Amino acid sequence: MNDEVLQAADAVVAAFGEGRLDDYFAAFAPDATFVFHTTSERLNSTAEYRALWDRWVAEDGFRVLACVSTDRLVQLLGETAVFTHLVKTTVSTTAGEETTHERETIVFRRQTPGHWLAVHEHLSAAPGTSMETER
């Protein structure tokens, strides 16, 4: 099952990094929760996160250019799996391009054999990095 979770995580990272938003958001349960160090409060659904994303696009021209996942770990807990990794993301906004270094936890729940859906995402600045980004 480790491979199944890694495939689900790879699909999330690839969709995010390639800007395939419908695929990215479809990888999360409707009631998934999101905790980001860049937002002041928890997002309580995938719809809330999508609305925030749409606001970033409208206000800042936000677009993901690339995403690289390293230092990956899967912990299986029955029908639940915890995936942790380091993430290097390059985005473009009206201010220009920037690259962030973060660590992320995604909790997956098995829906059916072979199919895992993300139910929680937590993103924080990677250890040893500041809140500043590369430019």
Side-chain angles (χ1 to χ4, degrees), residues 37 62-63 65-66 68 87-93 95-102 125-135:
H37 66 101
F62 180 81
R63 186 168 51 101
L65 302 177
V68 178
V87 184
K88 179 180 177 182
T89 304
T90 303
V91 301
S92 174
T93 66
E97 288 185 15
E98 60 187 7
T99 299
T100 58
H101 300 269
E102 298 161 309
T129 64
S130 68
M131 293 295 288
E132 296 298 315
T133 57
E134 295 176 12
R135 291 202 188 255

Side-chain angles (χ1 to χ4, degrees), residues 14-91:
F16 178 82
E18 296 167 7
R20 292 183 286 110
L21 297 182
D22 290 340
D23 293 339
Y24 174 64
F25 286 107
F28 292 92
D31 62 348
T33 55
F34 304 86
V35 177
F36 303 134
H37 66 101
T38 56
T39 59
S40 60
E41 45 192 54
R42 180 185 61 235
L43 302 171
N44 292 313
S45 70
T46 300
E48 279 186 34
Y49 179 21
R50 182 69 188 252
L52 177 61
W53 187 293
D54 291 344
R55 194 174 86 218
W56 293 337
V57 171
E59 293 176 1
D60 299 321
F62 180 81
R63 186 168 51 101
V64 177
L65 302 177
C67 183
V68 178
S69 170
T70 60
D71 195 25
R72 300 148 45 95
L73 175 68
V74 172
Q75 296 169 276
L76 289 172
L77 308 164
E79 300 294 304
T80 303
V82 178
F83 171 73
T84 55
H85 63 148
L86 297 177
V87 184
K88 179 180 177 182
T89 304
T90 303
V91 301

Side-chain angles (χ1 to χ4, degrees), residues 1 4-5 8 26-32 76-81 107-120:
M1 282 198 292
E4 293 173 0
V5 176
F28 292 92
D31 62 348
L76 289 172
L77 308 164
E79 300 294 304
T80 303
V107 179
F108 290 92
R109 179 179 62 223
R110 189 163 77 141
Q111 303 299 295
T112 58
H115 180 69
W116 295 79
L117 196 60
V119 296
H120 179 74

